Amino acid sequence: MIRIAVVALSLLAALVPARAQERIGVVASFSILGDFVRSVGGERVAVTTLVGPTGDVHVYTPSPRDAKQIADARLVVVNGLGLEGWLPRLVQSSGGKATIVTVTKGIKTRDADKDGEPHGHDHGDEHTDPHAWQSVPNAKIYVANIRDALIAADPAGEASYKANAAAYLAKLDALDREVREQVAKIPAGARKVISTHDAFGYFADAYGISFIAPLGVSTESEVSARDVARIIKQIRAAKIPAVFLENISDPRLIQRIAAETGARIGGTLYSDSLTAENGDAPTYIDMVRHNIRTLTSALGH
Ligand SMILES: [Zn+2]
């Protein structure tokens, strides 16, 4: 009789999904990481994102509510590589016991100024480009790190996390192929563009499109007249056909550069943030797809 009761109970446990109050609380520093955590965590995880859609993760000012959310969380998922400079103080002030998960662990990082001239106005600690998610192969490393962190925090969910991650990784493989196919449609000589800040270095390295940006890897700094003059010279010398706006940045700089050079404004690229549900890029996959289509339609034939 007791044995039957135990079997019945364990059957029940297997059938009933984790109830809301039993979900693993995870805080993600910005919207793209929040999307990854949701994709891998599924029903078992309650995700909160600190820097929401169209927010700028480089220059965020945390609120007391953010500290409360971190205090209550089991995991705090961060990009690292100097992206969330405001985060260590927030975690400290929250007094919580959350495990910090740095999802860029294992990624081959790139130097912030590898391809451009030194910007001069960059802050001293910005030697590494933090925008690793812009390469889909890197996003796969993010997802694997998130999967492993969720399993460590919630071993009972291992099978679920593994299945969700495998399904999502397969989608990312398809996305990576799609990006490569789209880039192949752009004539080799036209694979160069201007964007506002240096957010596409990993994308450039992975897919062979050059990006030049008046701002460095952070949106924090001001653009000098010298930087703008340099960009205008580069656009003319390299006959760069199109410049692109970014969802997180002030459009006026790019509009001015377009006006002075005659380069077309090719559209808006999503660099560091997703959009709200009804926008062009509510998920990471939508974002990458939107960006490559925007680039192809501006640069392709
Ligand atoms: Zn950025």
Side-chain angles (χ1 to χ4, degrees), residues 58 131 197 199 217 272:
H58 292 289
H131 305 88
H197 87 293
V217 291
D272 300 9

Side-chain angles (χ1 to χ4, degrees), residues 197-210:
H197 87 293
D198 254 329
F200 294 96
Y202 291 90
F203 183 93
D205 288 353
Y207 302 113
I209 295 182
S210 313

Side-chain angles (χ1 to χ4, degrees), residues 234-256:
Q234 274 175 300
I235 292 175
R236 289 187 178 136
K239 298 192 167 56
I240 291 172
V243 297
F244 293 85
L245 307 173
E246 278 173 33
N247 63 324
I248 61 159
S249 303
D250 186 337
R252 283 175 297 186
L253 173 65
I254 288 294
Q255 283 160 349
R256 189 178 130 206

Side-chain angles (χ1 to χ4, degrees), residues 178-188 191 296 299-301:
E178 192 182 321
V179 174
R180 289 174 200 283
E181 284 162 17
Q182 294 285 324
V183 171
K185 291 181 187 166
I186 304 171
R191 290 177 196 164
T296 313
L299 304 172
H301 286 306

